[in-house]
Amino acid sequence: MRNFAQQLAQALPQHAIHYMPRSQLETHTSFAEDTQLILLGPKLLDWRLQLTQSAPPTLIMQVSRVQAHKRFSNRQPEHLTFLWSDPPLDRQIALLKAMLPGVKHIGVLYGDHSEFLLKEIEQALQAEQLILHKYYWPNSYDARSLANLLNQTDALLGVDDARIYNPTTIKSILLSSYARKQSLIGPTAAFIKAGSLASTYTDQDNWINTLQKLLQTPVNTWPASLYPDGFKVIVNQQVARSLGIQKSRPSELTEQLQQNRPEP
């Protein structure tokens, strides 16, 4: 975090960027009038939501859409801007199509906290002529129901919901999917090492560039939320080889996705 703050300070020499540990920040109840906060993680989001005043304007990072929705559903406070940590779903679907051009039926596991994303996922899949097969994830692992879903699908699209994809469940999900020669895209880059096929992600330089642009614009023009424009692709090459996937070079995939994304 200190390194990140230093990099941001170098990118914005006209701003006074100060790093403050969470334990120190949480003792503050008032701030100078020209303060802008950049908060990282759900715990600092919880602290910010407890403050009664709307000032200072605040950018929230390292929080996913599922984590935010869990806290305030669709009633987002106006003084907060979220830079979502989870990769955008349309970008993940574009990656899925680029690496697995022959797939048609896409499986999605969802739970109570991620159900709100289903309509958006279905519309994004339909736009790419793909068919959604969804399965509600219960509180405990259900191998038989997961097998039933996989029997209907060609690939899995992961949603960044920690109740579904976590260190306890990921191995079983991957073993079940790869036993049927099916790939898992996402839910985030953190799962690539465990055996997920691929994901898009935002690196530190992308985050710095996004913050640099935001902090040089008036606060009243900040959006409620956004995804950084810059991104990269990460691929588990061992999984790609075992599944016979030809298109697996991250640089080529990144370039293809950047070229094909719609104009803003």
Side-chain angles (χ1 to χ4, degrees):
M1 295 301 103
R2 288 182 186 277
N3 177 260
F4 183 79
Q6 289 170 359
Q7 295 274 344
L8 184 60
Q10 291 173 10
L12 291 167
Q14 69 275 33
H15 285 61
I17 308 288
H18 300 288
Y19 166 78
M20 189 177 293
R22 180 164 61 93
S23 57
Q24 184 179 347
L25 180 63
E26 290 178 342
T27 63
H28 286 62
T29 54
S30 61
F31 298 86
E33 188 175 340
D34 61 348
T35 299
Q36 297 171 351
L37 293 178
I38 303 172
L39 305 182
L40 283 76
K43 290 184 178 179
L44 277 175
L45 169 59
D46 292 337
W47 167 78
R48 184 65 182 86
L49 292 172
Q50 292 171 6
L51 297 182
T52 55
Q53 67 270 29
S54 59
T58 303
L59 299 172
I60 306 289
M61 301 178 63
Q62 291 190 352
V63 170
S64 70
R65 290 177 63 187
V66 169
Q67 288 172 324
H69 189 270
K70 196 168 145 185
R71 284 160 171 80
F72 47 74
S73 190
N74 295 318
R75 301 181 299 277
Q76 179 178 327
E78 294 181 1
H79 49 279
L80 303 184
T81 290
F82 286 84
L83 283 67
W84 299 123
S85 64
D86 49 323
L89 293 165
D90 57 350
R91 193 179 290 166
Q92 296 289 83
I93 292 169
L95 175 61
L96 186 152
K97 280 206 72 175
M99 296 190 74
L100 305 165
V103 302
K104 186 73 175 177
H105 299 269
I106 309 303
V108 172
L109 303 172
Y110 72 96
D112 293 334
H113 299 311
S114 50
E115 185 175 8
F116 74 101
L117 293 170
L118 285 179
K119 185 176 180 181
E120 178 183 336
I121 293 171
E122 186 165 23
Q123 290 174 343
L125 288 172
Q126 286 177 345
E128 298 292 340
Q129 288 78 52
L130 299 173
I131 299 169
L132 170 66
H133 296 266
K134 57 191 178 183
Y135 165 58
Y136 175 78
W137 189 261
N139 292 329
S140 58
Y141 183 77
D142 184 352
R144 180 176 296 180
S145 296
L146 176 58
N148 290 338
L149 174 72
L150 292 170
N151 288 337
Q152 305 172 53
T153 59
D154 304 315
L156 285 180
L157 175 68
V159 175
D160 189 14
D161 184 339
R163 288 188 65 179
I164 301 171
Y165 295 99
N166 57 62
T168 302
T169 62
I170 188 62
K171 184 176 181 180
S172 298
I173 292 173
L174 288 168
L175 286 174
S176 297
S177 62
Y178 291 140
R180 292 165 176 77
K181 300 295 183 182
Q182 292 193 31
S183 307
L184 169 65
I185 296 291
T188 69
F191 290 89
I192 299 301
K193 189 175 181 181
S196 175
L197 172 61
S199 181
T200 62
Y201 71 100
T202 302
D203 67 9
Q204 179 166 299
D205 289 341
N206 297 144
W207 286 119
I208 294 290
N209 291 337
T210 301
L211 287 171
Q212 190 176 6
K213 292 175 185 175
L214 274 175
L215 293 171
Q216 294 183 100
T217 60
V219 170
N220 59 8
T221 66
W222 289 1
S225 65
L226 77 159
Y227 286 104
D229 287 332
F231 65 92
K232 293 181 175 63
V233 172
I234 184 171
V235 177
N236 187 316
Q237 295 295 343
Q238 183 178 349
V239 170
R241 284 192 299 270
S242 68
L243 293 174
I245 293 170
Q246 301 298 318
K247 194 160 190 176
S248 62
R249 292 186 62 180
S251 58
E252 292 180 0
L253 289 163
T254 300
E255 184 178 357
Q256 179 180 342
L257 267 57
Q258 289 173 341
Q259 288 177 349
N260 294 343
R261 62 183 172 178
E263 293 293 327

